[in-house]
Amino acid sequence: MNAPASDPAREPAPDPVRILLCDDHAVVRAGLLALLGSAPGIEVVGEAGSGEEAVAMAAHLRPDVVLMDLQLGAGIDGVEATRRIAPTGVHVLVLTTYDTDADITRAIEAGATGYLLKAERPEELFAAIHSAAQGRTTLSPPVASRVMDRMRGAAGPSLTDRERDILGQLAHGLGNREIARALFISEATVKTHLGRIYAKLGVDTRAGAVAVAKEQRLLP
């Protein structure tokens, strides 16, 4: 005797994705709550107004996904909250208006599963939440482009040996006159090299050059 065919109508619906919202603006949280309330397969189980609150609530509620803003006013920011939540196995999906290289890099390095901009359509947000719940990475198109550009430029700018020498002197806090004496060149030559270094690193200050050089490991 053949087994009766299963009736899809009788099969239990999959459990909804349990969401914890974290945003320091109550109006934004209310808007997200209303939006997500209309989404199939998604359930908001809590709201946090600060990074500390999100960390505590994530540990208590054990949601599938924390929808995390980056700028959270006083206290720890969204990146630090992500860094504390991600190791517990709870997925963090960043939802923010900020798409700078620094913000994206910090969030991903902290363990964020995805990075979405608030300008995305609701359908994109819903899809990203379901992807994050399964541990799949979702990036807004502008964010994905920035990540790819950063990867393509990962080798860093091409600096000459002399430019690297001058960067090293800058990192030690030497002024143009001291650099010239240390490297046995003229101050005019130092200034010329500095102009080229600034252009290659995309900065316009000594401190900026040193910061980028350290980030990209360009110092001798």
Side-chain angles (χ1 to χ4, degrees), residues 12-210:
D15 293 334
V17 177
R18 301 173 69 251
I19 297 291
L20 170 62
L21 300 178
C22 181
D23 196 296
D24 62 331
H25 293 96
V27 172
V28 174
R29 294 199 307 273
L32 286 171
L33 186 60
L35 178 65
L36 295 175
S38 68
I42 295 176
E43 177 187 3
V44 178
V45 297
E47 301 175 49
S50 69
E52 289 86 353
E53 192 176 6
V55 173
M57 293 183 71
H60 173 66
L61 296 173
R62 299 296 301 174
D64 299 306
V65 178
V66 177
L67 207 55
M68 179 73 70
D69 193 13
L70 289 185
Q71 303 297 328
L72 297 174
I76 64 174
D77 64 5
V79 171
E80 180 57 31
T82 298
R83 185 174 288 109
R84 299 183 189 184
I85 293 171
T88 70
V90 175
H91 299 297
V92 178
L93 174 60
V94 170
L95 181 65
T96 182
T97 58
Y98 302 94
D99 65 346
T100 67
D101 289 348
D103 287 324
I104 296 166
T105 300
R106 290 176 64 232
I108 293 175
E109 289 178 348
T113 300
Y115 197 110
L116 213 64
L117 299 180
K118 289 181 178 178
E120 294 293 342
R121 294 178 303 166
E123 295 78 11
E124 298 295 335
L125 173 60
F126 302 156
I129 287 173
H130 284 285
S131 292
Q134 298 176 37
R136 299 201 304 266
T137 300
T138 300
L139 302 175
S140 286
V143 174
S145 296
R146 283 183 175 274
V147 171
M148 291 301 296
D149 289 344
R150 191 173 183 85
M151 290 178 65
R152 292 188 186 104
S158 176
L159 299 177
T160 66
D161 290 340
R162 178 59 79 191
E163 289 167 352
R164 289 178 181 273
D165 290 339
I166 290 177
L167 264 179
Q169 301 298 325
L170 282 182
H172 287 97
L174 273 64
N176 289 1
R177 180 173 298 179
E178 289 78 15
I179 293 175
R181 289 175 178 173
L183 299 180
F184 303 102
I185 56 179
S186 69
E187 285 188 58
T189 300
V190 172
K191 291 180 181 179
T192 298
H193 283 303
L194 283 176
R196 292 171 181 168
I197 291 170
Y198 291 171
K200 290 181 179 181
L201 299 185
V203 300
D204 53 14
T205 65
R206 303 167 78 89
V210 172

